Amino acid sequence: MPGEYRYDYPRAAVTADVAVLRLDEMPEILLIQRKDPPFSQMWALPGGFMEMEETLEEAARRELMEETGIRAGELIRFDSYDRPGRDPRGRTITQVFVMIWKEEMGIPKAGSDAAGLQWFGLTELPSLAFDHEEIVSDVINLMKNGTK
């Protein structure tokens, strides 16, 4: 990029997370077990940092593939979460997408920075990293009531 521009003020990092739902007899959500700090070994939604030349949806698709091996289908833009302090690595804003998993998207398997992954019933969730308990609760409320 010619003539590099410098901005004197701090900027937030941007991430994209995906709430992957499996709608069998009882709805389930796919969570990854984090391999690296922060929150090593805790459960979280698949997702990660957006790269400079990506859109949010491209970042969500890439992160989902890297962490679970799933080729994302239709991603529904859900909500953004921007509370200061939600990520101990610094000021981070995330865009959450919701996706309904179908078998043709691939069988989930842990990859890159995921130590493991598992489907969880929506009433049997483990303790979650970051603010993902709030996010999953909002997704569940949308499914049940049509609102967050």
Side-chain angles (χ1 to χ4, degrees):
M1 185 182 276
E4 193 172 319
Y5 178 78
R6 300 266 184 223
Y7 189 67
D8 293 335
Y9 302 97
R11 290 178 275 177
V14 179
T15 60
D17 294 319
V18 184
V20 180
L21 301 171
R22 180 167 68 179
L23 302 178
D24 285 338
E25 296 166 20
M26 295 299 291
E28 296 176 307
I29 191 164
L30 183 65
L31 300 174
I32 62 152
Q33 189 174 32
R34 291 182 53 80
K35 187 187 308 182
D36 302 315
F39 303 109
S40 180
Q41 301 307 307
M42 285 191 70
W43 295 95
L45 295 168
F49 289 98
M50 183 175 79
E51 295 178 0
M52 292 304 288
E53 301 302 320
E54 287 181 313
T55 65
L56 285 163
E57 185 171 325
E58 289 167 344
R61 289 177 182 283
R62 176 184 52 77
E63 286 288 342
L64 187 64
M65 176 58 82
E66 288 175 2
E67 293 184 354
T68 70
I70 295 174
R71 292 176 310 282
E74 179 184 2
L75 291 175
I76 301 161
R77 192 177 292 249
F78 178 62
D79 205 350
S80 58
Y81 292 78
D82 62 354
R83 182 177 24 76
R86 62 177 299 278
D87 189 326
R89 296 169 291 191
R91 183 73 171 102
T92 306
I93 299 166
T94 195
Q95 173 64 54
V96 177
F97 293 86
V98 175
M99 184 189 91
I100 307 301
W101 177 80
K102 296 180 177 123
E103 199 168 329
E104 60 266 19
M105 295 172 180
I107 303 301
K109 54 188 168 294
S112 76
D113 53 353
L117 56 72
Q118 185 176 325
W119 292 103
F120 287 90
L122 299 181
T123 59
E124 302 163 353
L125 296 171
S127 180
L128 300 178
F130 306 103
D131 57 354
H132 290 190
E133 287 181 26
E134 175 186 357
I135 295 170
V136 171
S137 176
D138 289 348
V139 169
I140 292 168
N141 284 334
L142 177 70
M143 291 172 61
K144 284 182 179 177
N145 309 317
T147 62
K148 263 186 14 177

